[in-house]
Amino acid sequence: MLQVMNRFQRSLPKPGRNEVYPAVRGGGDCRYNPELVEFLHEDHLRILGLLEEIELLLNKDRLASAGKLLSELRYLLKTHQVREDVRMVKYLEQRLLGDGARLERLRLFRVERERVNQEIDAFLRKYQSIAIQPGLKGLFRQELGRLGDTLVAQFEREESELHALYRDAG
């Protein structure tokens, strides 16, 4: 799994960088923010880094610590999705009105992301109490690897398709 994640990483967040996300200005009207793509990419790196931490804890048989990080993973994934929906997708929906082909791409992206989210939620529900289920360690390791592959593929799609749509619409 680590090799797959390393393939995805193009850059690391800058040390000491302010992690406050770009604001949405205007009363309900989303505006283009050229820094948003970078912030969302940094989200991806944080999420994948957390998966690596979970894998390292699993390798050290620290199941309780790995289980605690699953809660943090859930939080990071949900907040990332909300940021992306509120700041990027809403903006794109406004900007792409009348552009049926690109709106359809956006709709298909959201459908695929919902499928991935269901897979992630099922994984997190299944393993939230991994510390008291040591017999599932081998299966947990396999499914964690698959989850990492799924997230890398999802993030690559986001960055190559959704983020490109956002840059083009800006």
Side-chain angles (χ1 to χ4, degrees), residues 43-51 73 76-77 80 151 155:
D43 268 357
H44 295 164
L45 295 176
R46 277 189 286 282
I47 291 164
L48 294 176
L50 191 57
L51 283 175
L73 178 63
L76 285 176
L77 287 165
H80 171 72
L151 284 172
F155 293 161

Side-chain angles (χ1 to χ4, degrees), residues 50 54 66-76 124 128:
L50 191 57
I54 293 168
K68 288 177 184 175
L69 288 185
L70 289 177
S71 295
E72 187 176 339
L73 178 63
R74 179 186 304 272
Y75 174 79
L76 285 176
L124 293 171
Q128 65 189 358

Side-chain angles (χ1 to χ4, degrees), residues 10-28:
R10 291 193 308 258
S11 64
L12 295 174
K14 296 166 187 68
R17 181 175 170 91
N18 182 353
E19 295 193 13
V20 174
Y21 286 81
V24 177
R25 295 177 186 84

Side-chain angles (χ1 to χ4, degrees), residues 13-164:
K14 296 166 187 68
R17 181 175 170 91
N18 182 353
E19 295 193 13
V20 174
Y21 286 81
V24 177
R25 295 177 186 84
D29 177 35
C30 291
R31 304 237 172 123
Y32 182 80
N33 186 323
E35 293 179 344
L36 181 58
V37 169
E38 180 182 346
F39 280 104
L40 293 173
H41 175 71
E42 288 176 5
D43 268 357
H44 295 164
L45 295 176
R46 277 189 286 282
I47 291 164
L48 294 176
L50 191 57
L51 283 175
E52 287 178 350
E53 284 183 57
I54 293 168
E55 183 179 39
L56 291 173
L57 290 169
L58 183 60
N59 291 340
K60 294 177 181 178
D61 288 326
R62 295 180 53 201
L63 296 180
S65 297
K68 288 177 184 175
L69 288 185
L70 289 177
S71 295
E72 187 176 339
L73 178 63
R74 179 186 304 272
Y75 174 79
L76 285 176
L77 287 165
K78 294 295 182 190
T79 56
H80 171 72
Q81 182 178 345
V82 168
R83 286 181 186 115
E84 196 168 67
D85 281 344
V86 169
R87 295 193 169 101
M88 184 174 284
V89 174
K90 184 177 177 185
Y91 173 82
L92 286 171
E93 287 172 342
Q94 292 173 358
R95 291 287 294 187
L96 299 177
L97 283 177
D99 186 340
R102 293 198 303 178
L103 273 174
E104 179 62 11
R105 280 178 52 201
L106 185 59
R107 187 192 70 75
L108 291 173
F109 170 80
R110 291 181 91 172
V111 167
E112 174 61 14
R113 186 174 63 183
E114 184 55 35
R115 184 200 61 74
V116 168
N117 286 342
Q118 289 173 359
E119 182 181 332
I120 292 166
D121 287 342
F123 172 85
L124 293 171
R125 276 192 311 276
K126 182 175 182 178
Y127 293 109
Q128 65 189 358
S129 58
I130 187 65
I132 60 172
Q133 302 177 53
L136 293 178
K137 181 181 169 188
L139 188 57
F140 178 65
R141 180 185 314 282
Q142 290 174 355
E143 291 187 19
L144 182 66
R146 279 196 295 273
L147 178 66
D149 292 343
T150 297
L151 284 172
V152 166
Q154 177 68 20
F155 293 161
E156 286 174 342
R157 276 191 304 278
E158 284 180 18
E159 293 192 9
S160 67
E161 296 174 26
L162 187 64
H163 297 188

